[in-house]
Amino acid sequence: MKISYNWLKWYVPKAPDANKLAGIFNYHLCEVESLEKKPGGDTIFDLKILPNRAHDLLSHQGVAREIASLLDIEYVDPAPKYKIPASIKASTDKSELKIDIQTSLCRRYMGRIIRRIKVGPSPEWVKKHLESIGQRSINNMVDAANLLMFNTGQPAHVFDLDKLAEEGLIVRQAKTGEQITTLDNKEVGIGVKDIIIADSKNVLGVAGIKGGKIAEVDNKTKNIILEVANFDPVSVRKTAQALNIFTDARKRFENDLSPELAAYAMRELSALIFEMCPEAIFENVVDVYPEKQKEKKLSFSANKISKILGLKVSDKEVEDILKRYNFKYNLVVGAPLGAPTTKFTVVILPMRLDLEIEEDMAEEIGRILGYDKLKGKIPKINFEPKVNETYAKISWAKGKLLEEGYSEVMTYTFCDTGEVEVQNSASDKKFLRTNLTDGLKESLKLNQLNAPSLGIDKVKVFEIGTIFKKRGEEMHVAYGDKKEIKEMTLDEYARLDLLQAREKNSPAFALGGIGQGTHGSLNFSLQPSHFKMWSLFPFIVRDIAVFVPEKIKSSEVEKIIGKNMGDKVVHGPELFDEFKKGNQISYAFRLVFQSYNCTLTDAEVNEIMTKITNKIKENNDWQVR
């Protein structure tokens, strides 16, 4: 959110200089992402307002009120200075503006007809304010709505009254197939769950997000309708995401706004337009407010706040903060000020939607006092950590199987058959597995294909995971090779090993108890192990066969290959075939190329193979097949 320092000074004339104010923001309110000095003495803050305060701080007035309360300096309320036009009823030949709300997702809708306005350039001070925060001036009516939003945080919209089918607005869900051309000339298809503003014939705008071209204000506009409304934040967010539209109005509505802000905003917007168009006729405000925002109260004690913060906070400090922030409060009857039982009951300001529980108030008080006052202190607690028995068994089982030469795999939990069906799943994986064996078999097949290339004589794998049956979940262990796979519960595996240890009178068999790193009497501690990461890049396999005189041993050929193959060979040379033909013998070797840094190309491997071939050919009577 971009905030103009000069704009803030309208409301807090005693604010400190911009650099000092930036430090105050950083330590007590939010992060200042950038600070830009402008010609003419203005400074623009780019404040990183977090979602929990977006409802009141995405505005100049909101930030100004926060500064005034935080520093205990004067806040100049502009409302008494507004020149409010005298409202009149609609003329006898015109009915009052009709607003028809057909959805609970519109929490308040205020509308006002203004006649005989004159569209033109905005006053210089309006242009200056908008341009200071990077906004382009369009015309006085649109600028008034934009200025209102950046000043109060409440979005507003202006419709050309004469372009409507009748003098009435409808707030409803979109119908199938409805579209809108937005103000930036984009054709947008609207979903049936999206909320729109319409008349009896056309879609005029997407609620809380963007207006449409049909009722756009232009230089010929003479009569307008002001819209100041409040919409459900979740609805606005979902619609904007679906339509891929990001606007300043969306940003404010999706973070929630108090419906109480609308009345203040309508008053300010009316005063602003009256200043620009003093000959205009303002009709009565039509306010549809189905369910008013409920008053919230919050009770807490200074003692509880102190415990939450880890900082001693006195009743006097709490009272001082409540007064500075204009909270109405009282003390619980029978609890004199200063007594340990003193309890504050606070009426939460309508704009402060973030204050719900005691912890929120603790955060608020801690922020105002300054978190730099919190001193790190490690509590003195004597306790013994509780061992997670299941985790200890899993860790022990993994360590044991790894020591026995098994490699761990993780297979799919979802499968095509089972006892527990998943409601939302892939079409061919609708069930949760009832065993680990099926997945382990598939894993063995895949790993067996690469075993010869990687120099593995025997593939042995294991998995420890959850299986799902109607009676409930079970933790299983499965392990084996191509010939046999064994599967059992984790407890059965631990008991089996315990029996084997007893039979062998193993040193692992010792006195102990469950929950202290043992199972029965078997210690679950793991021995330190060393792990070497494998390459994540694909390997390339090449074979080379050489005819040599029968007196030549394979090791001589292997030595030449080894000296010339470089560091890209991760396995080999491995002799995998030999046969005699006449007085010659053929040796066939396999090389596996792989890099830890990149994917090898055929050209790189071919270059190495050519080098090996040339070296072999330097020997008389040696021939590469």
Side-chain angles (χ1 to χ4, degrees):
M1 170 68 183
K2 290 188 176 181
I3 295 289
S4 161
Y5 177 72
N6 287 350
W7 193 337
L8 285 179
K9 292 274 281 187
W10 276 31
Y11 305 116
V12 277
K14 295 181 181 179
D17 66 71
N19 289 329
K20 186 175 181 180
L21 193 57
I24 292 168
F25 284 146
N26 279 321
Y27 280 100
H28 295 276
L29 189 63
C30 63
E31 181 183 347
V32 179
E33 294 193 304
S34 66
L35 198 68
E36 182 184 1
K37 301 286 186 180
K38 290 276 191 177
D42 199 5
T43 300
I44 307 302
F45 303 95
D46 191 354
L47 303 182
K48 186 177 181 179
I49 306 297
L50 297 179
N52 69 317
R53 292 297 302 276
H55 48 263
D56 70 314
L57 291 184
L58 289 179
S59 66
H60 281 76
Q61 286 185 7
V63 173
R65 279 192 296 266
E66 181 65 39
I67 294 169
S69 299
L70 190 61
L71 302 181
D72 197 14
I73 57 179
E74 179 190 12
Y75 173 77
V76 178
D77 186 357
K81 300 178 182 179
Y82 294 150
K83 295 179 180 179
I84 307 299
S87 298
I88 64 167
K89 291 184 178 180
S91 58
T92 54
D93 61 330
K94 298 283 187 180
S95 59
E96 187 177 64
L97 173 66
K98 290 183 174 61
I99 297 175
D100 182 12
I101 298 180
Q102 300 178 2
T103 171
S104 62
L105 298 177
C106 177
R107 302 189 295 198
R108 188 176 191 179
Y109 198 99
M110 300 183 74
R112 182 176 218 170
I113 291 176
I114 306 178
R115 302 183 190 275
R116 299 182 189 175
I117 60 103
K118 186 176 181 180
V119 177
S122 292
E124 282 303 312
W125 72 268
V126 173
K127 292 180 181 179
K128 188 176 180 181
H129 269 39
L130 290 174
E131 289 170 359
S132 71
I133 56 173
Q135 298 297 313
R136 181 172 59 90
S137 174
I138 299 173
N139 59 53
N140 54 354
M141 295 299 107
V142 176
D143 289 356
N146 286 337
L147 187 73
L148 175 83
M149 177 174 62
F150 293 110
N151 196 40
T152 69
Q154 171 68 54
H157 193 71
V158 183
F159 298 102
D160 186 322
L161 175 65
D162 299 320
K163 294 178 181 178
L164 272 60
E166 68 285 305
E167 294 186 355
L169 296 172
I170 305 168
V171 186
R172 60 172 173 82
Q173 285 185 289
K175 298 174 184 176
T176 303
E178 283 192 308
Q179 291 187 317
I180 184 174
T181 301
T182 58
L183 288 168
D184 52 357
N185 295 308
K186 291 182 180 178
E187 289 285 343
V188 176
I190 312 169
V192 292
K193 292 184 179 179
D194 299 334
I195 307 304
I196 61 166
I197 313 300
D199 60 19
S200 58
K201 293 182 179 179
N202 300 304
V203 178
L204 306 177
V206 184
I209 300 171
K210 204 169 186 68
K213 291 289 288 185
I214 287 178
E216 180 182 17
V217 172
D218 56 34
N219 290 335
K220 296 179 180 179
T221 299
K222 302 297 181 187
N223 306 301
I224 60 173
I225 298 178
L226 302 186
E227 170 198 277
V228 179
N230 186 281
F231 303 103
D232 177 76
V234 175
S235 173
V236 171
R237 185 182 303 115
K238 287 182 176 179
T239 296
Q241 286 290 102
L243 300 181
N244 194 27
I245 297 177
F246 189 92
T247 61
D248 289 301
R250 167 208 170 161
K251 185 177 181 180
R252 284 156 179 80
F253 279 124
E254 72 179 359
N255 282 293
D256 208 356
L257 289 173
S258 167
E260 293 294 305
L261 179 60
Y264 176 90
M266 176 60 83
R267 187 182 180 194
E268 181 170 298
L269 181 57
S270 297
L272 186 55
I273 292 176
F274 182 62
E275 181 179 337
M276 296 176 177
C277 304
E279 303 300 322
I281 299 173
F282 289 74
E283 295 189 4
N284 290 335
V285 174
V286 179
D287 184 4
V288 183
Y289 196 178
E291 187 176 345
K292 292 191 175 182
Q293 182 178 342
K294 294 178 181 178
E295 183 179 81
K296 286 191 303 184
K297 292 184 178 180
L298 187 57
S299 295
F300 61 90
S301 69
N303 285 342
K304 182 64 181 290
I305 297 297
S306 299
K307 288 179 181 178
I308 294 172
L309 291 176
L311 171 71
K312 180 60 179 175
V313 180
S314 68
D315 290 341
K316 186 177 182 306
E317 286 175 308
V318 172
E319 269 211 301
D320 177 57
I321 290 170
L322 295 178
K323 287 176 181 177
R324 282 156 50 191
Y325 278 78
N326 299 311
F327 284 108
K328 294 180 181 178
Y329 70 94
N330 56 46
L331 301 177
V332 175
V333 177
L337 186 62
T341 56
T342 299
K343 277 222 170 202
F344 294 91
T345 298
V346 179
V347 178
I348 303 300
L349 299 169
M351 308 281 251
R352 293 302 302 272
L353 302 177
D354 57 308
L355 299 177
E356 295 278 353
I357 56 178
E358 281 182 298
E359 285 73 13
D360 295 330
M361 189 55 72
E363 181 181 358
E364 181 77 354
I365 291 170
R367 174 182 68 81
I368 296 165
L369 293 175
Y371 286 123
D372 55 314
K373 294 183 179 179
L374 298 176
K375 305 301 180 184
K377 185 178 180 181
I378 299 176
K380 294 180 180 179
I381 303 174
N382 296 319
F383 70 95
E384 291 185 6
K386 184 179 180 181
V387 174
N388 183 316
E389 187 178 341
T390 300
Y391 178 77
K393 290 177 187 176
I394 292 172
S395 299
W396 164 78
K398 281 185 180 182
K400 183 176 182 302
L401 288 162
L402 288 169
E403 287 178 0
E404 292 175 358
Y406 290 89
S407 297
E408 185 178 12
V409 297
M410 297 178 69
T411 62
Y412 288 115
T413 303
F414 300 98
C415 55
D416 54 0
T417 60
E419 297 179 11
V420 180
E421 188 173 356
V422 180
Q423 186 173 356
N424 297 316
S425 63
S427 58
D428 60 335
K429 304 286 184 185
K430 293 185 177 181
F431 296 89
L432 296 174
R433 64 189 178 189
T434 57
N435 64 71
L436 302 179
T437 299
D438 292 342
L440 223 59
K441 286 179 180 177
E442 291 299 317
S443 180
L444 281 166
K445 286 180 184 178
L446 293 172
N447 282 285
Q448 202 68 40
L449 294 173
N450 296 327
S453 302
L454 299 176
I456 301 173
D457 297 327
K458 188 177 183 180
V459 177
K460 296 168 62 179
V461 296
F462 78 91
E463 181 172 13
I464 301 175
T466 306
I467 62 103
F468 305 84
K469 295 189 177 182
K470 285 184 178 179
R471 64 176 179 264
E473 300 177 12
E474 295 177 2
M475 185 63 67
H476 275 215
V477 178
Y479 58 98
D481 54 30
K482 188 177 181 181
K483 294 180 180 180
E484 181 185 21
I485 295 176
K486 296 180 180 179
E487 180 171 351
M488 61 196 76
T489 67
L490 180 61
D491 286 338
E492 287 171 344
Y493 180 76
R495 284 196 295 270
L496 175 64
D497 199 82
L498 176 60
L499 291 173
Q500 291 173 348
R502 282 174 175 166
E503 290 172 1
K504 296 176 182 179
N505 197 21
S506 168
F509 181 70
L511 292 178
I514 296 175
Q516 298 298 324
T518 64
H519 178 76
S521 298
L522 189 62
N523 196 311
F524 283 154
S525 61
L526 288 176
Q527 298 299 321
S529 59
H530 299 281
F531 171 74
K532 182 180 179 182
M533 183 62 185
W534 58 86
S535 174
L536 299 177
F537 298 95
F539 60 81
I540 297 176
V541 178
R542 291 294 171 86
D543 295 339
I544 183 169
V546 185
F547 265 124
V548 295
E550 60 180 347
K551 64 180 179 179
I552 302 297
K553 296 180 179 179
S554 63
S555 60
E556 296 179 53
V557 182
E558 182 180 336
K559 186 176 180 180
I560 292 176
I561 296 173
K563 283 185 176 181
N564 294 279
M565 67 186 185
D567 60 356
K568 295 294 188 292
V569 175
V570 294
H571 178 68
E574 178 191 1
L575 180 66
F576 69 91
D577 184 48
E578 65 177 275
F579 68 89
K580 284 186 179 182
K581 185 178 180 181
N583 61 351
Q584 286 191 314
I585 188 169
S586 172
Y587 297 120
F589 295 90
R590 178 160 292 158
L591 303 175
V592 180
F593 295 84
Q594 192 174 39
S595 171
Y596 280 82
N597 303 314
C598 62
T599 299
L600 294 176
T601 63
D602 280 336
E604 290 175 298
V605 174
N606 289 341
E607 185 179 346
I608 297 171
M609 293 302 294
T610 300
K611 180 181 177 182
I612 293 171
T613 300
N614 291 338
K615 280 294 180 182
I616 289 173
K617 287 180 178 179
E618 289 179 3
N619 293 278
N620 294 330
D621 301 327
W622 290 29
Q623 181 184 354
V624 177
R625 292 197 293 122

